[in-house]
Amino acid sequence: MIEILQYGFMVNALTAALLSAIACGIMGTYVVVKRIVFISGGIAHASFGGIGLGYFLGIEPVICVIPFSIVSALSIGEVSRRRGLSEDAAIGIIWAMGMAIGIMFISLTPGYAPDLFSYLFGNILTVPYSDLLIMLLLDVVIVTIVYLFYKEFLAISFDEEFATVVGVPAHRLYLLLLCLVALTAVVLIRVVGIILVIALLTIPATVSRRFTDVLWKMMVLSMIFSAMFSIIGIYLSYLCDLPSGSTIILVSSVVFLLSLLIPSRHIFKY
Amino acid sequence: MKGEVIGLRDVCVYHDDLPVLEDVTISIRSHDFLGIIGPNGGGKTTLLKVMLGLITPEKGEVKVLGGDPARNRRHIGYVPQHSLFDHDFPISVMDVVLTGRAGQRLFGRYTDQDKKLAHDTLKMVDMLPFAERQIGKLSGGERQRVFIARALVAEPEVLLLDEPAAGIDAHIQTEFYEILEKLKEKMAIVMVSHDLTAISIYVDKIACLNRRLFYHNSKELTSDDLEAVYQCPVEFIAHGLPHRVLKEH
């Protein structure tokens, strides 16, 4: 296995796997415990509009998708709170709207859209060096903000209403949390693609949840699982010439299903 | 009014044009121990949320410690209906109690003082041995005591409890009410319940709520009040003096 490290693209792919594991271990934990899986899926899909806009304006799509995904996160966070509007309907609408905007922009862009497939389904074997820098930067932002607001995020995740009563600006912090989910989606686009982002946000955290009752330990475990899934996925996709994004997700899914076979009473929780 | 911790005047709340609370006026003073009874769907939880500034009434005035409820609610300890949260959440008893201090300052960790208060409060409700236990791995009564501790750790001047005895065994309820007995020396307590008998033993004053509030600033209700609230004749059981809720009739 060592000899494949001679290839520059392989080193980039493994670096991307580790960098994405940091974001998805931390934010995936919040997504799972706060039960915002569907919202996060909506944010990730809606940010496809940013990819389209990037093509249209001739800007690097990964850069364009950052502001776009933040706007999607804020709109989903606000719209889903409206009284008289069902939350899942609001999410579904913004989910589809963002994707439609993306497709519209791409069709308006003259010529052929290169790499389009890799944004949708990911291709970790072709991650350029510049994207690694963006991923690193986003990781730093996510880790810093979660470090600063760890106790507030824990309070609003457990009981948002009570947190409001004791004076935590719960709604604003909730929107901040959704923005971090949006940034995580950006980090994961290159690894598994927009369509499969939600799998890496949920599977490692869900598997980790079975092994610990402590939030920060769950984050660390999720990072380890996520890195493991990606690295195994990369190796298998290289070996068998399979699409990397779906290989990573299938590896994760198999581990998830296997973890269900261990009865909970046999699991010692750390 | 002197000593008033929470005051509502002519408060009306509507959900989609349907009245939930109508012309509710009440004044809660320090060291009051008030029980609010009424049928399910009678607006009890809504009333508590109005006091907490979580629901803004369409009409009327709400004052908490003489000011805006949203600004002064940090002086209110709130114990919501405990069935409503996620029992599987990865959080320890100690961390649940600490969230009661989360609004004290933004950024960073809990201070040593926060931790000491949480420790002492858990001790007061006899839950210190369970401090590291995951919140879902407690019995209903134990969990209720943790939620009381979470409300108390911010050192409130008034405690609001929403159906605190629901789903708890009778003998454990007694322990629970004894904790409240001790607390009423230090703060006003408002407890919402549909269980009239339990409430009548411990509280000092009773109000009856079904959209409208019937309250005489005392522990007595008239049979007319109860009929108006439950909208049917209510069978009374007179318990003798210590438990008396109704006037002699």
Side-chain angles (χ1 to χ4, degrees):
Chain A
M1 191 175 171
I2 298 297
E3 74 275 3
I4 63 173
L5 287 177
Q6 298 161 12
Y7 302 115
F9 72 87
M10 213 31 135
V11 176
N12 279 7
L14 292 175
T15 315
L18 295 177
L19 288 175
S20 66
I22 294 173
C24 104
I26 295 173
M27 296 315 297
T29 298
Y30 285 118
V31 167
V32 167
V33 301
K34 197 164 163 46
R35 305 188 178 214
I36 48 171
V37 173
F38 192 42
I39 292 189
S40 308
I43 294 170
H45 280 74
S47 58
F48 183 65
I51 303 278
L53 190 64
Y55 275 119
F56 183 70
L57 298 175
I59 306 171
E60 169 65 39
V62 171
I63 289 177
C64 209
V65 81
I66 295 174
F68 202 94
S69 67
I70 295 224
V71 172
S72 322
L74 294 175
S75 7
I76 287 188
E78 279 300 332
V79 173
S80 63
R81 287 286 167 115
R82 280 284 171 83
R83 250 168 78 176
L85 196 66
S86 102
E87 181 178 348
D88 57 346
I91 297 166
I93 291 165
I94 293 181
W95 174 316
M97 208 172 84
M99 294 217 80
I101 291 173
I103 294 162
M104 191 63 82
F105 275 125
I106 287 171
S107 79
L108 289 175
T109 311
Y112 166 72
D115 295 341
L116 180 61
F117 217 64
S118 81
Y119 290 113
L120 285 172
F121 300 101
N123 191 354
I124 199 169
L125 298 174
T126 61
V127 180
Y129 183 69
S130 59
D131 279 16
L132 292 180
L133 287 181
I134 295 173
M135 290 166 85
L136 176 67
L137 190 75
L138 294 179
D139 273 344
V140 171
V141 171
I142 291 167
V143 171
T144 311
I145 292 180
V146 169
Y147 180 80
L148 286 176
F149 290 109
Y150 182 81
K151 76 175 194 299
E152 287 83 1
F153 282 156
L154 180 60
I156 66 163
S157 301
F158 179 62
D159 188 341
E160 202 166 329
E161 186 176 68
F162 183 82
T164 308
V165 169
V166 296
V168 176
H171 185 55
R172 264 178 273 166
L173 285 170
Y174 173 66
L175 292 179
L176 179 62
L177 197 71
L178 291 186
C179 289
L180 296 185
V181 171
L183 295 184
T184 308
V186 176
V187 171
L188 294 177
I189 282 177
R190 279 297 190 178
V191 183
V192 288
I194 279 177
I195 302 202
L196 299 175
V197 159
I198 201 61
L200 268 196
L201 275 176
T202 48
I203 299 172
T206 306
V207 175
S208 307
R209 177 66 188 90
R210 306 203 71 213
F211 295 96
T212 179
D213 282 335
V214 182
L215 194 79
W216 68 264
K217 291 182 184 169
M218 195 174 150
M219 292 176 176
V220 175
L221 263 181
S222 304
M223 284 184 209
I224 296 170
F225 276 120
S226 167
M228 226 169 68
F229 297 157
S230 301
I231 291 170
I232 296 172
I234 290 168
Y235 186 63
L236 287 180
S237 80
Y238 167 80
L239 217 61
C240 313
D241 196 23
L242 297 167
S244 60
S246 45
T247 312
I248 291 171
I249 302 307
L250 289 175
V251 167
S252 320
S253 309
V254 168
V255 174
F256 166 69
L257 292 174
L258 287 177
S259 83
L260 291 182
L261 295 178
I262 316 171
S264 342
R265 62 179 186 282
H266 288 162
I267 296 178
F268 176 75
K269 289 197 173 176
Y270 292 90
Chain B
M1 197 185 298
K2 198 162 184 275
E4 180 184 85
V5 282
I6 297 177
L8 269 65
R9 233 182 50 218
D10 304 323
V11 165
C12 296
V13 173
Y14 300 90
H15 279 180
D16 301 326
D17 297 333
L18 286 173
V20 185
L21 297 175
E22 276 184 298
D23 298 320
V24 171
T25 298
I26 193 167
S27 171
I28 295 154
R29 276 165 260 173
S30 43
H31 305 291
D32 272 357
F33 189 173
L34 170 71
I36 300 176
I37 56 165
N40 286 325
K44 299 188 298 290
T45 300
T46 306
L47 180 63
L48 293 187
K49 289 189 176 178
V50 166
M51 292 173 176
L52 289 161
L54 294 170
I55 293 176
T56 313
E58 271 78 11
K59 240 176 66 193
E61 191 187 49
V62 185
K63 286 241 186 286
V64 171
L65 299 166
D68 178 38
R71 210 179 48 225
N72 287 342
R73 64 182 163 212
R74 62 179 68 214
H75 301 289
I76 302 179
Y78 177 40
V79 183
Q81 279 187 44
H82 63 113
S83 51
L84 298 178
F85 82 102
D86 176 10
H87 289 212
D88 198 39
F89 198 96
I91 189 170
S92 68
V93 165
M94 182 53 127
D95 282 338
V96 168
V97 175
L98 278 169
T99 62
R101 304 287 301 170
Q104 302 288 321
R105 73 202 66 74
L106 225 51
F107 287 132
R109 312 283 111 165
Y110 290 110
T111 63
D112 288 344
Q113 196 215 351
D114 291 337
K115 287 177 188 156
K116 186 178 180 305
L117 272 167
H119 178 275
D120 294 349
T121 316
L122 272 177
K123 195 168 178 181
M124 194 200 73
V125 297
D126 289 327
M127 286 301 290
L128 199 53
F130 299 89
E132 296 311 317
R133 188 81 70 88
Q134 191 257 335
I135 188 71
K137 294 173 186 155
L138 297 175
S139 71
E142 290 164 347
R143 204 174 296 133
Q144 194 55 273
R145 279 186 278 166
V146 174
F147 285 125
I148 300 252
R150 176 179 76 158
L152 293 175
V153 78
E155 304 177 302
E157 292 182 40
V158 51
L159 188 63
L160 305 186
L161 303 116
D162 196 350
E163 299 281 2
I168 297 179
D169 293 340
H171 68 285
I172 295 171
Q173 279 184 28
T174 312
E175 281 174 28
F176 168 75
Y177 287 123
E178 275 156 14
I179 294 177
L180 295 186
E181 286 272 89
K182 279 191 272 175
L183 288 174
K184 78 176 190 193
E185 312 290 314
K186 286 184 249 170
M187 63 191 76
I189 301 176
V190 179
M191 179 163 72
V192 149
S193 175
H194 60 258
D195 180 4
L196 186 124
T197 35
I199 244 184
S200 64
I201 303 170
Y202 295 95
V203 300
D204 300 328
K205 296 172 178 178
I206 287 191
C208 233
L209 179 73
N210 189 7
R211 278 205 339 254
R212 293 178 175 279
L213 186 80
F214 298 83
Y215 179 50
H216 308 297
N217 204 18
S218 73
K219 200 173 175 172
E220 287 192 337
L221 294 167
T222 66
S223 52
D224 290 346
D225 285 345
L226 282 179
E227 279 195 36
V229 163
Y230 286 93
Q231 284 168 346
C232 63
V234 177
E235 190 91 33
F236 307 125
I237 304 160
H239 287 288
L241 273 179
H243 297 198
R244 183 169 293 283
V245 180
L246 299 161
K247 277 205 182 97
E248 294 190 42
H249 52 280

